[in-house]
Amino acid sequence: TTGLLTDGVIYAGGNVSTDCCVSTSLAPSGNHRFVLDGPGAQTVSFYTPGATSQRFWDLEIDNSAGVTFTSNVQVNNNLTLTIVGWWIVNAGTTTTVAGDLLMQFTDPDAARLDNSGTVTVIGTCTDEGATVTGTNPCG
């Protein structure tokens, strides 16, 4: 999808996974936003994640049932964890956010980050009252 997903929004209500055979099978850029907002728990798994391969551009997690990253994940721009988002980073995995990470928490029972892996933020990391289990990427 290189050069094809440069604008617009994809709302994903189910799991997101990429396969082994096309390293750019999910390769948005520009102003593209991907929103994980399913009614139930979701998983994200990239086979070949990286800045020039499988990735998100802008990613928003807005799922109170939880979104689990079961592999390494690349976000080439910004990641926003909304007020009702629940984000789980599995042990042994790395999430790289090349832009900014904004964790907009106002109710720790409704939104949280369970980080057993590694979250690396290149840009600004903003934690607005997050409940974080494990390592807080904002320090």
Side-chain angles (χ1 to χ4, degrees):
T1 61
T2 302
L4 299 176
L5 297 175
T6 59
D7 208 353
V9 181
I10 292 176
Y11 292 90
N15 298 332
V16 176
S17 63
T18 60
D19 65 19
C20 65
C21 303
V22 180
S23 66
T24 56
S25 60
L26 181 61
S29 59
N31 294 312
H32 191 270
R33 184 167 53 111
F34 206 102
V35 180
L36 298 168
D37 65 347
Q42 294 173 267
T43 60
V44 173
S45 178
F46 286 172
Y47 194 84
T48 56
T52 60
S53 55
Q54 297 166 350
R55 64 188 182 261
F56 293 112
W57 186 255
D58 283 321
L59 176 63
E60 181 178 328
I61 298 173
D62 189 15
N63 182 327
S64 61
V67 173
T68 302
F69 288 4
T70 61
S71 71
N72 294 343
V73 172
Q74 174 78 29
V75 180
N76 269 8
N77 201 31
N78 302 319
L79 190 154
T80 302
L81 184 58
T82 65
I83 293 170
V84 297
W86 192 301
W87 178 24
I88 303 162
V89 180
N90 277 359
T93 66
T94 297
T95 299
T96 302
V97 180
D100 300 336
L101 171 62
L102 173 59
M103 298 191 294
Q104 299 176 312
F105 296 155
T106 56
D107 180 353
D109 294 325
R112 63 182 302 137
L113 166 60
D114 289 340
N115 183 17
S116 298
T118 301
V119 178
T120 301
V121 180
I122 308 302
T124 302
C125 193
T126 305
D127 175 353
E128 296 179 353
T131 296
V132 179
T133 302
T135 304
N136 188 334
C138 294

